[in-house]
Amino acid sequence: MVYVKQITEDAARSTHADVQKLRDAGWKEDQIAEAVYITALFAFFNRVADAFGVPSQDYLSKGRTTP
Amino acid sequence: MSRDKKDKLQPASALPDPSARKHPTKIRISEDAEAAGEVATAYDFWRAGSGRQQVPGIIKCFGARPDFLRQVVEFSNKLHFSEGHLSRRHKEMIASYVSFLNRCPY
């Protein structure tokens, strides 16, 4: 999750060493790649949702995730 | 990072102000009931895939390009809402954390 924060906030400055830490922790190359896809995918959704100002679905207050 | 760290932590507008309720979104989107033509068909594409009726706000944001909306639905399902190299639960954890980092209330 430290890596996810790194990629979210400053991907350009992420390093080989950052990735190596994940390998050392047991992550396979494909898993690291997919984690980056998801991280970037949700940056995309976050940006669009914020630009449009989509109201939150109040999952927390409603206590359920489907309407 | 032009904005200084402290300012970054304050959500710009945590909750849309009540007066904006009439037009909840800053950019016009077609609500479920008012969607027509291609937009309505694209919303139905999402409903068919999800088995749910109420189209999520984020999906409706793509109503200006119904053709693209379908592709967004498809690649979200393929990449996120499925087991891959990572489990769906694991991806959901990353997604929530990213959205928290981006301070996205939605």
Side-chain angles (χ1 to χ4, degrees):
Chain A
M1 296 306 263
V2 169
Y3 181 68
V4 164
K5 182 170 165 58
Q6 165 84 30
I7 296 307
T8 296
E9 295 180 347
D10 207 354
R13 287 217 190 89
S14 64
T15 62
H16 285 275
D18 293 324
V19 182
Q20 189 53 46
K21 278 189 207 132
L22 295 178
R23 293 191 196 97
D24 299 345
W27 284 62
K28 298 195 195 61
E29 217 63 14
D30 290 348
Q31 291 175 322
I32 299 169
E34 191 168 85
V36 170
Y37 303 157
I38 297 295
T39 299
L41 177 67
F42 276 81
F44 167 67
F45 284 132
N46 294 161
R47 194 63 42 79
V48 170
D50 284 345
F52 276 69
V54 178
S56 147
Q57 293 179 298
D58 303 328
Y59 287 160
L60 295 178
S61 53
K62 281 198 212 139
R64 49 186 165 69
T65 53
T66 44
Chain B
M1 285 291 177
S2 57
R3 286 164 62 177
D4 65 62
K5 262 296 176 214
K6 187 181 66 47
D7 167 46
K8 192 162 184 310
L9 294 176
Q10 301 301 338
S13 60
L15 283 172
D17 59 71
S19 65
R21 269 291 155 250
K22 269 193 320 325
H23 309 291
T25 52
K26 293 176 259 188
I27 301 170
R28 199 74 186 79
I29 63 170
S30 303
E31 291 302 343
D32 293 59
E34 62 193 13
E38 273 304 306
V39 181
T41 318
Y43 285 8
D44 285 339
F45 176 77
W46 175 84
R47 291 189 183 104
S50 75
R52 284 166 30 204
Q53 205 44 42
Q54 173 76 16
V55 182
I58 183 66
I59 299 294
K60 287 187 274 200
C61 290
F62 299 101
R65 283 289 302 273
D67 49 351
F68 180 56
L69 185 148
R70 287 169 206 261
Q71 292 178 326
V72 170
V73 170
E74 278 169 357
F75 71 66
S76 309
N77 289 340
K78 190 173 287 296
L79 177 63
H80 185 62
F81 296 107
S82 62
E83 298 304 313
H85 298 298
L86 301 173
S87 70
R88 224 190 120 181
R89 293 160 63 88
H90 208 134
K91 292 190 254 192
E92 207 54 54
M93 185 175 75
I94 294 172
S96 308
Y97 183 50
V98 168
S99 303
F100 161 74
L101 290 172
N102 290 326
R103 291 182 340 282
C104 175
Y106 178 76

